[in-house]
Amino acid sequence: MLIVLMGISAVGFLWYNGFIGGGKTLGQDDLFDSENELHDRVSILLIGADQRPEQIKFNTDSLIFASVDPKTKQVSLLSIPRDTRVALAGHGHLKINEVAALTDLPTLQKNVGQLTGQPLAGYVQTNFAGFKKIIDTLGGITVDVEKDMYYETGDDEDGYINLDKGVQRLDGSQALQYARFRHDALGDISRTARQQIVLKAVAKEMFRLSTLPKLPFLIPQLMEAVNTNLSGKDMFALAKVAVAFDSANVVSQTLPGAFQDIDGVSYWKVDPVEVKKVVKNLFMGITTTKVIDQQTVDLLKPVIVTPVKPLPKVPGNSQDPNGQNSTGYQVTKP
């Protein structure tokens, strides 16, 4: 969503200043001025939630710490698993996806800032319906679906995940299915990797020349689809960075940790000191494949179970009040 906001704001900035269709070229003085210059890195929290129209309080499904470096034009994305165990004043230890429901989004923003050791300029939140609208207005995204996926979610809307393996064009509903799928050996941890793939695909689509004619339709839909506390000044400054944005300059990482069971409730346990090291490395473009318990794991490949390497304990067991029952295996298509 941050990438989409940057893209729309950037094109709006160009249109406003007459660079598109006016034969003008961009110079350094055009990109930055004394009032709206972005000198330092800015970090934002991206929030995805299955929030229904009547809901005021809700758990969050997806949390991504996004950071933009105006000098290198690099966008760093850190996916924070929904089961990450954190401390919340007045509530003790809980899953990070509960914070917004018990308090509000600004408190969640503050909590993520404390976890990462980085100040956050604001948040951008969207729900399932908004996500689908944005993807559809873009004309879909291209994704290499790594395996057949089938799962009955039980929702009245978006009740099925049903995708075939292979490179394909996904519409809004299909992109949501891919981003939601978590019913395999690594559960939500693999889902974070899929969400990063979707964000990169959106970024690539956003900055295609063919996207420009769609902007008059995309802008009002975006405004309806997202909830943000970013100031106009911050958005304008980000737009100027987006003018020189390259979708290939996106670095992503899932927050490393380990599965932990406490009183029958499963968590994603992280080391607070290690989290801050991961964030600093990510800013330098350094990522790690040692995401689960310091072991090298490909989050999108099936886990091979052996007697000496049992199936990892996956958050979302039947006793977990904030997750869905998961066997750790993919449901077979009927």
Side-chain angles (χ1 to χ4, degrees):
M1 294 303 100
L2 170 63
I3 292 166
V4 173
L5 275 172
M6 286 175 62
I8 288 178
S9 300
V11 176
F13 167 72
L14 291 173
W15 273 348
Y16 178 80
N17 288 280
F19 291 104
I20 293 180
K24 296 183 181 180
T25 57
L26 287 171
Q28 188 67 22
D29 292 339
D30 298 317
L31 289 175
F32 296 102
D33 58 48
S34 58
E35 184 178 356
N36 289 298
E37 186 171 357
L38 184 62
H39 291 285
D40 302 318
R41 175 182 292 278
V42 59
S43 300
I44 295 168
L45 180 62
L46 308 184
I47 304 168
D50 183 15
Q51 180 190 9
R52 305 304 178 183
E54 69 279 2
Q55 285 184 308
I56 298 176
K57 294 292 185 178
F58 51 89
N59 285 348
T60 54
D61 293 292
S62 305
L63 294 176
I64 297 179
F65 169 86
S67 190
V68 179
D69 187 333
K71 297 180 179 65
T72 65
K73 309 299 185 294
Q74 176 180 292
V75 177
S76 302
L77 303 174
L78 179 68
S79 293
I80 302 173
R82 68 196 297 272
D83 298 302
T84 300
R85 191 168 186 259
V86 296
L88 179 63
H91 298 277
H93 285 85
L94 41 68
K95 298 185 178 189
I96 199 166
N97 77 317
E98 299 177 87
V99 173
L102 294 172
T103 56
D104 51 30
L105 292 180
T107 301
L108 175 60
Q109 173 187 323
K110 180 180 178 182
N111 193 285
V112 172
Q114 293 171 341
L115 177 67
T116 59
Q118 299 293 325
L120 293 168
Y123 60 79
V124 179
Q125 181 244 332
T126 189
N127 57 23
F128 288 176
F131 176 86
K132 289 189 294 184
K133 278 185 180 180
I134 291 170
I135 299 296
D136 284 337
T137 306
L138 282 172
I141 57 175
T142 300
V143 171
D144 185 358
V145 179
E146 68 274 8
K147 63 182 178 181
D148 290 343
M149 297 179 182
Y150 184 84
Y151 186 77
E152 298 179 15
T153 69
D155 296 343
D156 292 336
E157 188 176 350
D158 307 308
Y160 293 90
I161 296 174
N162 189 3
L163 298 172
D164 294 323
K165 178 180 178 180
V167 178
Q168 56 200 281
R169 195 75 175 170
L170 303 181
D171 62 18
S173 177
Q174 293 167 324
L176 178 62
Q177 291 176 40
Y178 182 76
R180 289 184 72 190
F181 189 77
R182 63 190 288 260
H183 298 276
D184 45 16
L186 300 180
D188 187 57
I189 307 307
S190 286
R191 183 172 68 167
T192 62
R194 295 187 183 102
Q195 290 167 353
Q196 292 163 11
I197 288 173
V198 168
L199 283 178
K200 290 179 181 180
V202 169
K204 186 174 182 179
E205 198 66 38
M206 186 68 232
F207 288 90
R208 291 181 186 274
L209 289 176
S210 59
T211 301
L212 297 180
K214 302 173 187 175
L215 288 174
F217 304 98
L218 184 58
I219 291 172
Q221 289 195 12
L222 177 71
M223 293 303 103
E224 292 178 2
V226 302
N227 168 35
T228 181
N229 64 348
L230 282 174
S231 68
K233 182 179 179 181
D234 284 337
M235 289 183 65
F236 192 65
L238 283 169
K240 292 182 176 183
V241 176
V243 169
F245 179 76
D246 181 351
S247 61
N249 202 16
V250 179
V251 181
S252 62
Q253 171 74 59
T254 294
L255 181 62
F259 298 122
Q260 181 182 45
D261 186 282
I262 300 178
D263 297 329
V265 178
S266 49
Y267 296 93
W268 184 244
K269 180 184 177 182
V270 299
D271 181 339
V273 176
E274 188 64 25
V275 172
K276 296 170 179 60
K277 289 181 181 179
V278 168
V279 171
K280 289 182 178 179
N281 283 338
L282 193 63
F283 288 171
M284 294 186 290
I286 302 171
T287 60
T288 178
T289 56
K290 294 184 177 181
V291 175
I292 302 176
D293 205 16
Q294 292 299 312
Q295 298 180 33
T296 298
V297 178
D298 186 329
L299 300 186
L300 295 180
K301 285 188 176 181
V303 174
I304 300 175
V305 180
T306 66
V308 295
K309 189 178 181 181
L311 186 72
K313 185 172 180 59
V314 179
N317 61 52
S318 58
Q319 294 176 295
D320 184 351
N322 299 303
Q324 299 179 13
N325 183 36
S326 174
T327 62
Y329 295 95
Q330 179 183 359
V331 180
T332 304
K333 285 189 177 186

